[in-house]
Amino acid sequence: MPVEARRWADLRKQVAYRSKRLNTGHMVEADQRFGQRDALGPHGVMLFFVSDAPAEPHGYQLHTAYRLWLASPESDDLPRLLADLAEVAAENAARSASAGRRWHPLGPDGSMVNGGDMSQPAGATYVGVGVTTLDSEQGRWHQVARTLREGLATGRHLSAFDLKGQCYALLTDGTALHVDRDPHARLGVDGIRCNKTLAPERITYYNPHEHLTEQGDDNTREVWRQLGALHHTLTAHLLAGRPA
């Protein structure tokens, strides 16, 4: 099995697990700040980079920076949020280019992030973008968060650690990942759906998620579409001139 294939399969899993962990942190922080002046919005964006790390099993280290927003009507609309971010990224890149500089989403000028690995090794390479969202099949975040405080009709109270979350990610090798973070999932059920293999040594003839970005309801497909536009903008700017 080619080294590159094993590396990408490992990276897909690392991105999925990192996204799930960030989604959990997003959920806990949003729950703690719910109803306050600094309440968090239900959606965030994650940027993924890798740097060379010869001591690691697959020779790389994953770095993740993210952006969370304060709660507002604008930050509640995920497709709109992604579309606006793609537009801002394109404007920042064009403005820097006209001034003879090269813009980077981690800053220092026009930073797109406010958390995570904002200082990375020189030469770290962009490999993808993702979304953390607190909306799930249990309901929209604001609705579910109120339930935490009011209790269920049964009289039982839930905590943030009972709630589901979701993540979406697109990587530069054409990977599309969806993570359904379910704290009550059965042992062995990781909630990861991917259009590419997570286990390159296993021969599979059929992948039900091969066309992942075309599946789901209208809103889900629109999230994929706008995330794809942001990914295209970042890839075109950050990887321009690099060998494929």
Side-chain angles (χ1 to χ4, degrees):
M1 183 61 61
V3 171
E4 193 70 5
R6 289 199 297 269
R7 177 179 165 127
W8 274 107
D10 183 73
L11 180 59
R12 290 172 201 132
K13 287 185 284 190
Q14 294 304 322
V15 165
Y17 298 145
R18 183 72 58 85
S19 298
K20 192 180 289 190
R21 193 159 71 240
L22 280 169
N23 185 263
T24 300
H26 182 189
M27 175 76 74
V28 171
E29 188 72 13
D31 177 54
Q32 291 174 346
R33 290 160 59 169
F34 186 75
Q36 300 177 22
R37 291 182 63 180
D38 63 345
L40 281 179
H43 314 300
V45 168
M46 305 174 286
L47 300 180
F48 303 107
F49 299 84
V50 297
S51 63
D52 291 335
E56 295 296 323
H58 294 275
Y60 76 92
Q61 183 174 0
L62 175 65
H63 309 277
T64 309
Y66 61 83
R67 169 78 176 267
L68 298 178
W69 281 264
L70 294 178
S72 71
E74 293 76 20
S75 66
D76 202 34
D77 184 342
L78 179 53
R80 182 72 258 164
L81 203 63
L82 293 170
D84 289 347
L85 205 55
E87 190 174 320
V88 169
E91 289 172 356
N92 284 337
R95 189 180 305 113
S96 292
S98 67
R101 300 192 307 272
R102 188 170 179 83
W103 173 75
H104 197 283
L106 303 188
D109 299 320
S111 173
M112 280 176 51
V113 299
N114 54 18
D117 303 323
M118 294 190 287
S119 297
Q120 299 182 7
T125 305
Y126 171 77
V127 289
V129 62
V131 162
T132 166
T133 176
L134 307 183
D135 291 347
S136 72
E137 63 185 36
Q138 290 174 315
R140 301 293 297 273
W141 163 245
H142 299 295
Q143 164 200 345
V144 175
R146 279 194 298 271
T147 302
L148 293 182
R149 284 142 184 87
E150 297 166 359
L152 302 173
T154 60
R156 188 168 71 92
H157 274 75
L158 299 176
S159 79
F161 295 100
D162 293 304
L163 301 183
K164 292 184 177 184
Q166 297 182 83
C167 301
Y168 302 78
L170 294 173
L171 306 183
T172 52
D173 73 328
T175 293
L177 270 167
H178 178 266
V179 181
D180 180 19
R181 186 187 60 76
D182 181 358
H184 298 299
R186 297 192 315 276
L187 190 64
V189 177
D190 59 17
I192 301 171
R193 294 187 294 157
C194 187
N195 67 337
K196 292 179 177 284
T197 184
L198 300 175
E201 70 284 348
R202 190 175 68 212
I203 298 174
T204 56
Y205 296 97
Y206 173 67
N207 180 356
H209 310 305
E210 182 180 358
H211 304 290
L212 183 60
T213 60
E214 300 165 22
Q215 298 169 350
D217 58 21
D218 289 346
N219 184 70
T220 298
R221 292 195 298 274
E222 184 63 10
V223 169
W224 281 122
R225 192 173 77 81
Q226 297 298 347
L227 185 62
L230 175 58
H231 181 49
H232 176 77
T233 299
L234 292 172
T235 300
H237 176 68
L238 296 173
L239 302 185
R242 286 178 178 265

